[in-house]
Amino acid sequence: MSSMIPHPDIAEFKVNCAIITVSDSRTPETDKSGQLIHQFLQKAGYPILDYQIVKDEPTEITELLKKYSQIPELDACILNGGTGIAPRDTTYDALEQLLEKTLPGFGEIFRTLSYAEIGSRAMASRAIAGVFQGKLIFSVPGSSNAVKLAMEQLIIPELAHLVKVLRSE
């Protein structure tokens, strides 16, 4: 697999991020996936403006994203958890209603990469990305392996470029 970047970005480009873990049971101490996102962003030099754990309730997810949309310096939100098909998995449903633009390629590529690792169970992932009120939104499964895959191969390589495109409007 090629790691070529078609449009190289300036390494010093600042992208301010927020991390949201969607879970009914995790705490800051047990949130390994949230911690992993934090580590990837920190290593890439992206400031983290906020970190929250919210219940897997569409209204809580929506209200937090609406609150974040009012923070001018915030560029991107990365959510983990609630992307499956279990009755309590509602992150996708909340985002589907909220996103003004979607990036279908994110979910498609994520599931393709996941398929190479976990086989046909990758079809159960409802990973999604898009734009809400000028903020880039990524939503990935809550497993640490899924977070690592998404951060390493998709989010970190494209985050600065996508935010630059959004800021150019």
Side-chain angles (χ1 to χ4, degrees), residues 75-107:
D75 299 303
C77 299
I78 303 170
L79 295 88
N80 76 93
T83 62
I85 60 168
R88 291 290 301 153
D89 290 334
T90 63
T91 304
Y92 176 88
D93 307 294
L95 292 177
E96 181 186 38
Q97 302 294 316
L98 201 62
L99 295 176
E100 297 150 354
K101 293 182 180 181
T102 60
L103 295 170
F106 175 78

Side-chain angles (χ1 to χ4, degrees), residues 11-163:
E12 296 85 39
F13 188 78
K14 187 169 120 176
V15 177
N16 293 311
C17 301
I19 302 167
I20 303 169
T21 294
V22 179
S23 174
D24 293 332
S25 59
R26 291 189 186 157
T27 66
E29 297 76 31
T30 63
D31 182 18
K32 292 181 181 171
S33 292
Q35 294 166 11
L36 195 55
I37 294 169
H38 190 281
Q39 290 167 8
F40 273 101
L41 292 172
Q42 194 170 39
K43 184 177 177 185
Y46 297 134
I48 299 159
L49 301 187
D50 198 29
Y51 161 71
Q52 297 283 326
I53 297 176
V54 298
K55 298 280 183 214
D56 207 335
E57 294 288 343
T59 54
E60 288 192 36
I61 296 164
T62 300
E63 289 307 312
L64 182 56
L65 288 171
K66 286 180 179 178
K67 178 181 136 189
Y68 282 162
S69 75
Q70 301 304 307
I71 303 172
E73 60 274 12
L74 182 66
D75 299 303
C77 299
I78 303 170
L79 295 88
N80 76 93
T83 62
I85 60 168
R88 291 290 301 153
D89 290 334
T90 63
T91 304
Y92 176 88
D93 307 294
L95 292 177
E96 181 186 38
Q97 302 294 316
L98 201 62
L99 295 176
E100 297 150 354
K101 293 182 180 181
T102 60
L103 295 170
F106 175 78
E108 294 162 1
I109 295 169
F110 177 81
R111 283 181 285 280
T112 299
L113 294 170
S114 294
Y115 179 79
E117 288 189 4
I118 65 170
S120 59
R121 287 196 179 173
M123 78 170 81
S125 166
R126 298 190 298 160
I128 187 172
V131 178
F132 173 64
Q133 296 193 358
K135 312 297 182 198
L136 193 56
I137 310 292
F138 291 100
S139 177
V140 300
S143 81
S144 295
N145 286 342
V147 165
K148 182 178 185 294
L149 175 74
M151 294 301 290
E152 271 183 350
Q153 296 192 41
L154 298 172
I155 297 172
I156 294 298
E158 294 301 325
L159 189 56
H161 174 73
L162 292 171
V163 169

